[in-house]
Amino acid sequence: MPTKLAITGAAAVAHAMRQINPDVVAAYPITPQTPIVEYFAQFVADGVVDTVMVPVESEHSAMSAVVGSAAAGARTMTATAANGLALMFEIVYIAASMRLPIVMPIVNRALSGPINIHGDHSDAYAVRDAGWIQLMSENSQEAYDLTIIATKLAEREEVLTPAMVNLDGFITSHGVEGVEILDDEVVKDFVGQWEPKYPLLDVDNPITHGPLDLFDYYFEHHRQQQEGLKNAYKALPEVFAEYEKISGRKYDFLDLYKMEDAEYVMVVMNSAASTAKYVVDELREKGIKAGLIKPWVFTPFPKKEFLEALDGRKAVVVLDRAMSFGKEAPLYSLVKSALYEAKERPMIGSYVYGLGGRDVTPAMLHIPFEEAMKGELDPNEERYLGLKE
Amino acid sequence: MPKYDSWKEMPIAGVIDKPATAREYNTGTWRIMRPIVDKDACINCMQCWLYCPDMAIDGIVKEDGKTEMVGFNYDYCKGCGTCAKVCPVNAITMKPETEFLK
Amino acid sequence: MPVNMKQLINLVAKEDWPFTQGHRLCPGCNAPMVAKWATMTAKALGYEPVVGAATGCLEVSTTIYPFTAWNVPYIHNAFENVAATISGAEAAYRSLKNRGKLKTDKPIKFIAFGGDGGTYDIGLQSLSGAVERGHDFLYILYDNEGYMNTGNQRSGSTPPGADATTEPVGKVKTGKVQFKKNIVEIIGAHENVYAATASTSDPFDFMAKVEKGLKHEGPAFIAVLAPCVRFWRIPESDGPKITKLAVETKYWPLYEIDRGVYKITRKPRNFKPIEEYIRSIGRFRKALQHPEYKEVIEEMQKYVDTRWERLLKFEEATKGMYLR
């Protein structure tokens, strides 16, 4: 029987890791990811899991050790945030190119500088082209579920692509909520055992990992990585369906909230979606046909699903919790691009909010809807919610 | 060694899924100077075998337990001359490849 | 009994070379000697070596896709992280073995290779972390005293006066002024480690140290002086001859620090002056044209003499005093 626990998002993720029972975890603490590592280290210290933990001296070494471990043939996990992810950056790409199904929770935090420890999505966006699957969670329950889902997905032979599970720093990682934890055996059966394709430790069949790949074949290897992501896109509905069977919780590329007849649609990722759902409810009470889309999957980007969900609506406002300096905000530009083939293009507007953990209030989220309803959206203008103008 | 015509045929992950495939690349074509051993002078101490950076010298332990320097593998010998230099009895001489042109 | 020549020849006859022909390192390069001796020693001792390499000459020249000169499992990740990478593989080995998931019963040993760039400089943190954590691995530094793979840029290992493109000898400068970083002392200071120097002039001294390193349950480190014949501006055949001189001039003393216990493994009967070493290597030629470089040579002579005297005293003072 599943157990309902009042725990933080970090604890929920640590429980998912405990149940996945990786062979190796190599991690370095960074606020606000630290409690994940601490909880997991305690599980190891108490003998709850027999995972080998490698307490490395930096995130760069965390990702490096994780690559060595996964290449060796071990199910391997780590976790990080913001600057830690930035320090790993070089090896994040290498892990993907080596097709190692590493699962890494990212506790989203603003990238320096100036230094800031609170939640925004600049870290997730910074690695959007690294070749990893990126799943996004609104709350602790989703972070728990998606960590388990990510493991199953990443390790599929036709996918073999590492995966990040994003949860908002502090808001999700440190906030206590009710989380339903599945039975250990159920999770164990769901994720099964990983059979590595080219284990380094197979001394009878020596494999060379990470060779110098010049103009002859580098391009082809990248094409293969693209295929891995395409296959992840194909496999996701199946993995979601399997997970629904054991948990009763339904996931999809997009979380569609009151979208059936929605005319005014907000697109937002992670924890702010909870506030946005509240705002949608308020508008609905006033008879306004408001709706919300929250992507559970950021990479592979569900372009087709966005097109289907948004074609023919009156207006779409896209909220980004990070800037792309000198360019349109990342989620906005992707959603806008998805609408290129729309039969009836909605009005569209870009809003940047909540940088460096700035609070997101319902009043703030009413603004984009109001501007949409007044017909004041400008597709070429980036607007800011909660900025001291 | 397969030359891949399509990304679909290649093993994924950038791995080289077989060991020692470099042997299909003959580094002997780089050679300018060719080592020649005088077997009458050679004391079969195997220093050349031990040092050769290209594993281009063959050696055996014979039935009587003695070691023997068998000869050079010119498919791979790059002609660096380290063998001649480490030979304690100067049994190896380096000769220009041009002398061996047919 | 340390490995001997016959064992090695029989090993190759029976099991093939662990590191093979067809690699594209320069003619006369000393790095493949190091790779060959280390992997052969491991095999001759009955271990299965799993090799990691930092980005560098040895890495790029031995694994040009789809060609590999490795006949044993091999992994390259990046420039600065071979120690962390191999520490992950070693952790995986422990875990998979403990969980009964390993397909082989053969004893695996992990060997990481790094050049001086990947060891003294950009990879030092990764190496220090892996040593401190006590992973069971042997790190072998092939020290050619510069970023030779990319065309002779200065490293923390480049000696004073050696011409390097990022710190060249010019009209008013004699090139790099700093002495080499003492890497073996840095690693030795981690205390849980077997650390040693070695030289391509003495393969059996090196292989004895490889054996000690592999048998030491925990981290081991060997710094091998291994010339880049091209950028040291010496004849292709002369690497081992030059490193012999390095030992004879006290430029590169052969010793070990085994968990704090010092031992000099080769004590030359007669020493030669450091100037003889410097004059035999082409990359010092430009600096030698500067009159003031004479003072640098004098300083270096004083330094190597003092260091040798200290080593003798350390050897005496630390006898039997294992720190761990």
Side-chain angles (χ1 to χ4, degrees), chain A residues 139-343:
Chain A
N139 52 40
S140 304
Q141 183 69 60
E142 291 187 7
Y144 168 83
D145 293 338
L146 291 173
T147 303
I148 297 165
I149 286 169
T151 304
K152 179 100 171 176
L153 177 68
E155 291 177 359
R156 280 175 71 124
E157 186 166 344
E158 81 279 20
V159 176
L160 282 177
T161 297
M164 297 180 196
V165 178
N166 292 271
L167 58 150
D168 281 349
F170 289 110
I171 299 165
T172 307
S173 64
H174 289 60
V176 175
E177 295 178 272
V179 179
E180 192 181 283
I181 304 287
L182 298 171
D183 286 345
D184 292 357
E185 284 305 312
V186 170
V187 177
K188 194 177 159 190
D189 289 346
F190 179 77
V191 295
Q193 279 224 16
W194 176 46
E195 287 300 328
K197 206 171 161 74
Y198 302 113
L200 180 70
L201 298 185
D202 184 359
V203 293
D204 297 321
N205 300 290
I207 302 280
T208 290
H209 293 258
L212 176 65
D213 200 15
L214 300 174
F215 33 70
D216 324 66
Y217 295 110
Y218 176 90
F219 203 162
E220 283 68 29
H221 285 125
H222 273 231
R223 178 62 187 84
Q224 290 181 329
Q225 273 183 257
Q226 190 71 292
E227 197 68 7
L229 265 303
K230 283 187 181 186
N231 290 339
Y233 176 78
K234 283 184 209 153
L236 268 160
E238 200 178 303
V239 179
F240 284 148
E242 286 173 50
Y243 192 72
E244 190 186 352
K245 268 186 217 153
I246 61 160
S247 68
R249 287 183 288 278
K250 194 172 166 55
Y251 286 90
D252 203 335
F253 290 102
L254 304 177
D255 181 6
L256 303 175
Y257 186 73
K258 304 204 171 164
M259 279 295 293
E260 298 79 17
D261 59 344
E263 293 173 343
Y264 302 97
V265 182
M266 178 171 278
V267 178
V268 67
M269 287 202 299
N270 286 14
S271 65
S274 297
T275 315
K277 284 173 183 172
Y278 176 80
V279 169
V280 166
D281 290 349
E282 284 187 333
L283 293 169
R284 286 272 170 182
E285 277 171 28
K286 289 183 198 161
I288 296 159
K289 290 181 174 170
L292 174 109
I293 299 180
K294 181 200 65 169
W296 273 307
V297 183
F298 181 61
T299 308
F301 189 72
K303 187 178 154 186
K304 183 175 136 274
E305 287 71 14
F306 264 111
L307 175 64
E308 283 169 9
L310 295 175
D311 199 348
R313 311 285 177 172
K314 275 192 182 157
V316 179
V317 290
V318 184
L319 273 63
D320 276 273
R321 202 164 193 160
M323 285 185 192
S324 178
F325 297 115
K327 295 188 290 301
E328 287 178 341
L331 184 59
Y332 174 67
S333 76
L334 287 166
V335 172
K336 194 176 164 190
S337 156
L339 287 169
Y340 180 77
E341 292 167 82
K343 289 187 191 77

Side-chain angles (χ1 to χ4, degrees), chain A residues 365-380:
Chain A
L365 297 189
H366 272 286
I367 296 167
F369 280 116
E370 281 162 19
E371 292 181 351
M373 287 183 287
K374 283 187 213 155
E376 289 175 353
L377 297 183
D378 177 350
N380 293 314

Side-chain angles (χ1 to χ4, degrees), chain B residues 31-38 48 54 57 72 74 77-87 90-100, chain C residues 27-28 236-238:
Chain B
R31 194 174 53 251
I32 296 167
M33 301 293 281
R34 179 183 294 202
I36 300 293
V37 62
D38 175 358
C48 57
D54 296 300
I57 295 171
F72 296 100
Y74 294 117
C77 168
K78 295 172 188 157
C80 69
T82 303
C83 51
K85 200 64 117 188
V86 298
C87 178
N90 297 318
I92 298 171
T93 47
M94 301 302 292
K95 295 193 169 166
E97 275 296 320
T98 47
E99 287 183 21
F100 301 93
Chain C
E236 287 174 356
S237 56
D238 281 12

Side-chain angles (χ1 to χ4, degrees), chain C residues 32-283:
Chain C
M33 298 174 190
V34 175
K36 160 187 177 176
W37 297 335
T39 49
M40 281 201 301
T41 305
K43 279 270 193 183
L45 292 168
Y47 298 125
E48 289 296 333
V50 169
V51 167
T55 307
C57 288
L58 182 68
E59 171 265 325
V60 300
S61 305
T62 63
T63 60
I64 301 175
Y65 189 89
F67 300 100
T68 178
W70 296 93
N71 213 354
V72 293
Y74 166 97
I75 183 167
H76 160 253
N77 186 343
F79 189 11
E80 67 286 40
N81 65 355
V82 63
T85 305
I86 217 73
S87 82
E90 188 265 353
Y93 176 55
R94 266 185 286 140
S95 183
L96 295 176
K97 203 170 161 186
N98 181 43
R99 290 179 167 190
K101 290 193 202 167
L102 265 192
K103 289 194 177 111
T104 179
D105 296 332
K106 296 175 186 167
I108 291 176
K109 287 287 178 181
F110 294 89
I111 304 178
F113 291 101
D116 48 290
T119 307
Y120 285 79
D121 293 351
I122 199 167
L124 186 59
Q125 175 183 321
S126 166
L127 174 57
S128 174
V131 171
E132 180 273 326
R133 293 192 300 275
H135 294 277
D136 190 11
F137 74 116
L138 168 61
Y139 189 105
I140 297 176
L141 151 69
Y142 63 101
D143 189 353
N144 55 29
E145 304 188 323
Y147 297 97
M148 301 321 196
N149 183 41
T150 48
N152 190 25
Q153 291 83 29
R154 163 216 208 273
S155 82
S157 167
T158 308
D163 199 28
T165 58
T166 50
E167 202 156 0
V169 179
K171 286 178 185 144
V172 298
K173 287 194 168 178
T174 57
K176 190 187 172 195
V177 292
Q178 297 85 0
F179 282 25
K180 271 169 85 85
K181 199 191 270 188
N182 195 328
I183 192 74
V184 129
E185 299 289 334
I186 293 169
I187 302 305
H190 288 69
E191 297 181 350
N192 60 342
V193 61
Y194 171 81
T197 61
S199 152
T200 56
S201 62
D202 202 334
F204 283 99
D205 177 68
F206 170 63
M207 291 189 285
K209 287 166 178 169
V210 170
E211 180 170 351
K212 272 195 175 182
L214 291 173
K215 287 183 175 167
H216 171 64
E217 282 177 29
F221 173 84
I222 305 173
V224 195
L225 190 66
C228 164
V229 291
R230 168 130 171 63
F231 289 114
W232 283 31
R233 314 284 177 205
I234 58 173
E236 287 174 356
S237 56
D238 281 12
K241 186 184 137 188
I242 295 290
T243 51
K244 184 163 180 274
L245 203 50
V247 176
E248 290 168 346
T249 57
K250 305 179 203 164
Y251 177 79
W252 191 255
L254 297 181
Y255 71 107
E256 61 186 29
I257 313 167
D258 185 3
R259 291 158 289 159
V261 177
Y262 282 71
K263 188 170 174 244
I264 302 172
T265 58
R266 292 285 192 264
K267 289 181 182 167
R269 282 206 196 120
N270 299 299
F271 291 108
K272 292 175 176 167
I274 192 86
E275 190 166 345
E276 193 176 326
Y277 175 69
I278 288 170
R279 288 198 178 275
S280 66
I281 299 170
R283 64 175 174 161

